[in-house]
Amino acid sequence: MSSRDEILRRVRDALGGDRGTAPPVPRGYARRLTAAEAATRADVLALFTERVAENRATVRHVAADEVGTAVAAALWGREAKQIVVPADLPFGWLAELEGVRALADPPVLDAETLAASDAVVTGCAAAVALTGTVVLDGGRAQGRRALTLVPDYHLCVVHADQIAGTVPEVVARLDPARPLTWISGPSATRDVESVRAPGPHGPRHLEILVVED
Amino acid sequence: MTAPGAGPPDALASAIAPGEAAAAASRATRFADAARPALADTRLRRTLGAAVAAERDRAAAAAAEPADWEELREAGRALRDAALLDLDTHLESLERAVTGAGGTVHWAADAAEARRIVVGLVRATGARDVLQAPSATVREAGLPGALARAGVTVRPAGLGDLIVGLGEEAPSHLSSPALHRDRAQVRELFLRGLPGAPADLSDDPADLAGAARAHLRDRFTGARVAVTGAAFLAADTGTAVLTESGGEGRMCLTLPGTLITVAGIDKVVPSWTDLEVLLQLLPRASSGDRMTPYVSAWTGVHPGDGPREFHLVLLDNGRTRALADEVGRAALRCIRCSACLNVCPVYERTGGGPYGPVLPGPVGAMLTPQLRGVESAANASLPFASTLCGACADVCPVKIDIPAILVHLRGTVVESRRARPVPTPELVLMRGLAWTMGDARRYRLAVRRGTRWARLLSRGGRIRRLPGLLGKWTDARDVPAPPARSFRDWQGRR
Ligand code: SF4
């Protein structure tokens, strides 16, 4: 008997003949934000902003025609010399950038190049206001997962309409067949005395630009 | 940036193996004996006490925040139960989905088989190095030791694993393996064993993490194989989920060409949608974060992004044995959040060592005897390593009644020991306790009645030794005299 069959047999034996049916899962938890948490769209954005900041990321609001300027200002502020971007990043986001070398992926950049880059700029697939989270699914303007892992600074552009209130709302929006990365603040560790410190891998700086159209 | 293996042979390479040996040695002893050195170590008690207090406070605040926390717990309990009740169907569905998405599923009946499978997979790639993300299941299967013996260098990717590896000891906590080490000790370990650690390294946790970062990041580029665990496996979509804060998991499941994920068969949840509950419960209960900094979800292989080969090793190793016990089965709901460790008055004083190499704290006391059986004195002693204070049950995000299961297991242990014609007083007591605690009303009455008696027995606010036959049993167990009114009683009248 293969181990597969053996394990399945053990499971069936353990559960016995009349195991009954599982009672339905009580789903009385909140699917959406309550009116107390956010009554209007502006409240949702405010909540997202507050929670991102509490996750120790930087967050700024810009109008749609200011994205290029804001991206350039952020990268100059960090004195970035070389950055990586997904090849399908909207052209306008880097339009104001001067004096910074932007490498597109694909063609696939090797890990050394990623490590030698100062920053990565991406969009996202969705965001959760309540937890201050952005979710990347490898879709447009997001690139491979390695891009947002290796450089030390991640600048993520979020459109206001991508921000949902709760975790259930975002889980419903996402396609699990895609590679998903939920990011809630910069890399962190509490491995020494449970004191928070910058983590061993992943960007130690996360900056989020909220684009209000 | 140096390629792994290019530098001098380093102490870290297979540093986990000695830790395993140390842990195995401590397993030969019963809990009370194994705990003695830890109890005598005031430095360890101080460090651990402060660290778990910090974790406990953060988790308590995070759980108090959502107005629907109790509804989430109730849903979490129910969907974990649903997963277990049809585990065979869910496992088959998981296998189909993972295979359909380009992954390969392997089944390991026990740890030895998991080791054979993983060593075989690594050998087939020809890799000499393996990155290892922090995972209790990888450790349970003894993979780091097995790979080291097969001549493969295992590189822990996480900071906590790096520290316990340098100290050649077993991890003391589920989610923060090195929580028993204070900053000065970590600094010493780094100065002694971490290649490239600056001589003027301070003991600020941020500096220590920075030194580890420089070292760890130096090694990832050439890695071709990684081994990880998983927090959840969604049966309907075949999606594996990993939560973490330091990026070591992301690194393992993104950069190397081959990813091997080892997960217990109990990690299955019926559907992807169930993650809307578990991704709220786990981070808050575990680290006190609203969301863990990184949550990764992947389904088989994703062409053009990440590993070209994905192997999922499903491990039984005693889980079906636990499943067969209708009372004890509830322990398999556990989502390994560590909340019960952080509130446990016993764990806070002993640390993880005395519980054995796999699962520390109340969850270990409850699960290890069920996974391994109670034939050995060490495992049989675990259900007794608790004051039954109930703090763990109050915080458990999937509402496992840990004290009730421990009492049930005490009964099992005592039953298994009764070759003698006359039941031990302990057996009688435990049977009675199981009967009383099995029913809320009986329990309430007993607490009220017991309070009065217990206050009569106490001296100076503590009960040191029960009279008569139970004297020996209570010898090593001091308890404070209970307050005149129980919390349940007080709360019930408000
Ligand atoms: S038993 Fe409950 S509290 Fe303890 S680790 Fe498991 S899920 Fe968390």
Side-chain angles (χ1 to χ4, degrees):
Chain A
M1 196 188 267
S2 71
S3 289
R4 175 187 189 279
D5 295 343
E6 169 66 13
I7 291 171
L8 289 171
R9 184 194 62 76
R10 288 182 194 166
V11 170
R12 287 179 188 125
D13 283 357
L15 291 170
D18 54 342
R19 58 176 86 163
T21 47
V25 175
R27 302 204 183 255
Y29 50 86
R31 307 204 72 84
R32 310 177 144 274
L33 295 175
T34 60
E37 284 162 330
T40 65
R41 203 50 215 156
D43 292 342
V44 177
L45 296 195
L47 182 65
F48 176 70
T49 307
E50 173 198 309
R51 295 290 153 93
V52 168
E54 284 172 12
N55 289 343
R56 303 178 192 221
T58 312
V59 56
R60 278 185 299 145
H61 288 244
V62 295
D65 58 0
E66 296 167 348
V67 178
T69 321
V71 168
L75 292 171
W76 290 330
R78 292 204 50 87
E79 298 180 9
K81 303 271 175 299
Q82 173 179 306
I83 68 166
V84 294
V85 294
D88 57 356
L89 200 76
F91 179 72
W93 293 4
L94 300 182
E96 310 280 318
L97 207 58
E98 274 170 40
V100 180
R101 188 159 169 243
L103 305 175
D105 177 299
V108 174
L109 301 167
D110 59 22
E112 279 87 358
T113 310
L114 296 180
S117 301
D118 304 306
V120 55
V121 182
T122 69
C124 72
V128 190
L130 205 54
T131 58
T133 303
V134 292
V135 187
L136 275 62
D137 73 354
R140 184 165 152 75
Q142 296 157 63
R144 291 186 296 138
R145 288 170 290 178
L147 292 191
T148 53
L149 172 65
V150 182
D152 204 15
Y153 170 78
H154 179 191
L155 179 61
C156 183
V157 179
V158 182
H159 282 281
D161 62 4
Q162 290 179 313
I163 303 172
T166 64
V167 172
E169 284 175 285
V170 164
V171 167
R173 278 190 197 187
L174 294 170
D175 177 3
R178 306 188 68 96
L180 303 175
T181 308
W182 300 48
I183 299 173
S184 308
S187 172
T189 172
R190 286 204 183 91
D191 276 326
V192 181
E193 294 187 13
S194 194
V195 174
R196 188 182 168 118
H201 312 277
R204 288 178 294 185
H205 307 277
L206 174 68
E207 181 157 356
I208 289 178
L209 290 182
V210 180
V211 184
E212 299 190 50
D213 321 78
Chain B
M1 186 155 295
T2 51
D10 59 90
L12 293 177
S14 303
I16 291 178
E20 272 173 26
S26 82
R27 269 331 278 140
T29 19
R30 294 182 315 156
F31 184 88
D33 303 325
R36 229 158 252 139
L39 289 171
D41 184 342
T42 49
R43 187 171 186 179
L44 178 139
R45 287 180 59 175
R46 193 167 1 101
T47 307
L48 195 66
V52 296
E55 305 246 312
R56 183 163 67 221
D57 292 350
R58 276 199 313 271
E65 191 180 74
D68 60 348
W69 183 247
E70 284 312 310
E71 285 81 6
L72 286 166
R73 286 178 82 201
E74 195 48 48
R77 180 197 64 71
L79 68 87
R80 294 291 294 134
D81 275 346
L84 296 171
L85 194 64
D86 286 312
L87 189 58
D88 47 352
T89 325
H90 295 312
L91 286 169
E92 287 172 311
S93 153
L94 174 75
E95 181 186 42
R96 267 194 309 277
V98 170
T99 312
T104 310
V105 176
H106 308 259
W107 302 72
D110 55 24
E113 189 170 13
R115 289 193 290 271
R116 270 200 306 280
I117 293 170
V118 174
V119 169
L121 289 170
V122 172
R123 281 224 173 102
T125 66
R128 312 284 310 151
D129 288 89
V130 167
L131 290 179
Q132 187 226 324
S135 155
T137 314
V138 166
R139 196 175 284 281
E140 170 191 341
L143 290 175
L147 287 166
R149 284 190 294 278
V152 176
T153 306
V154 180
R155 303 186 184 279
L159 174 55
D161 281 351
L162 181 71
I163 297 169
V164 297
L166 285 169
E168 301 194 3
E169 57 194 345
S172 60
H173 191 269
L174 255 183
S175 43
S176 304
L179 214 56
H180 58 295
R181 288 290 194 181
D182 65 33
R183 56 186 76 193
Q185 291 171 322
V186 174
R187 176 174 174 271
E188 276 165 39
L189 285 171
F190 278 11
L191 287 178
R192 226 175 331 119
L194 189 74
D200 61 347
L201 183 66
S202 86
D203 67 0
D204 181 343
D207 281 356
L208 296 169
R213 181 179 175 96
H215 168 76
L216 290 169
R217 278 173 60 97
D218 250 11
R219 318 190 147 252
F220 59 61
T221 44
R224 289 158 53 195
V225 184
V227 180
T228 73
F232 306 109
L233 302 166
D236 59 345
T237 57
T239 306
V241 178
L242 193 84
T243 63
E244 45 143 357
S245 58
E248 51 276 352
R250 289 182 69 190
M251 186 185 73
C252 289
L253 61 94
T254 323
L255 292 179
T258 301
L259 171 62
I260 304 170
T261 296
V262 184
I265 54 174
D266 56 324
K267 292 293 171 79
V268 171
V269 295
S271 86
W272 160 250
T273 313
D274 290 328
L275 292 165
E276 71 185 22
V277 176
L278 298 167
L279 286 182
Q280 297 194 70
L281 289 173
L282 178 60
R284 287 181 192 267
S286 171
S287 54
D289 292 310
R290 293 191 179 103
M291 187 64 73
T292 320
Y294 298 134
V295 179
S296 295
W298 68 100
T299 304
V301 292
H302 301 282
D305 185 352
R308 287 174 303 280
E309 260 186 61
F310 170 55
H311 297 275
L312 177 62
V313 182
L314 294 172
L315 178 67
D316 177 354
N317 204 28
R319 285 160 178 81
T320 47
R321 177 210 282 257
L323 191 67
D325 180 335
E326 283 187 32
V327 177
R329 177 188 294 173
L332 292 175
R333 271 186 225 147
C334 174
I335 57 173
R336 309 291 194 269
C337 71
S338 310
C340 58
L341 279 66
N342 297 335
V343 298
C344 179
V346 176
Y347 170 81
E348 180 173 345
R349 285 164 181 78
T350 63
Y355 293 90
V358 178
L359 289 171
V363 52
M366 162 179 79
L367 257 177
T368 304
Q370 296 202 71
L371 299 174
R372 304 281 155 267
V374 293
E375 287 74 30
S376 82
N379 290 340
S381 72
L382 284 174
F384 299 88
S386 167
T387 64
L388 302 181
C389 74
C392 47
D394 288 345
V395 296
C396 177
V398 286
K399 298 181 93 162
I400 303 174
D401 192 344
I402 301 168
I405 293 182
L406 291 175
V407 170
H408 165 76
L409 292 172
R410 290 179 184 187
T412 311
V413 169
V414 179
E415 294 276 357
S416 77
R417 294 288 187 275
R418 60 195 209 117
R420 323 167 203 195
V422 186
T424 60
E426 204 178 333
L427 172 63
V428 175
L429 177 75
M430 286 309 153
R431 279 185 184 154
L433 263 182
W435 181 82
T436 313
M437 292 182 85
D439 177 284
R441 200 184 50 86
R442 283 203 291 262
Y443 181 65
R444 214 168 29 243
L445 283 174
V447 168
R448 219 174 287 156
R449 222 178 305 123
T451 302
R452 250 175 268 138
W453 280 104
R455 291 181 77 83
L456 287 177
L457 285 169
S458 73
R459 295 271 175 285
R462 300 197 68 80
I463 301 170
R464 295 183 205 280
R465 198 164 193 280
L466 285 176
L469 283 171
L470 288 166
K472 182 153 189 333
W473 191 71
T474 45
D475 237 6
R477 296 172 168 84
D478 275 14
V479 290
R485 283 172 80 191
S486 74
F487 175 72
R488 274 173 198 250
D489 196 21
W490 172 81
Q491 195 192 30
R493 294 203 189 162
R494 276 166 61 96

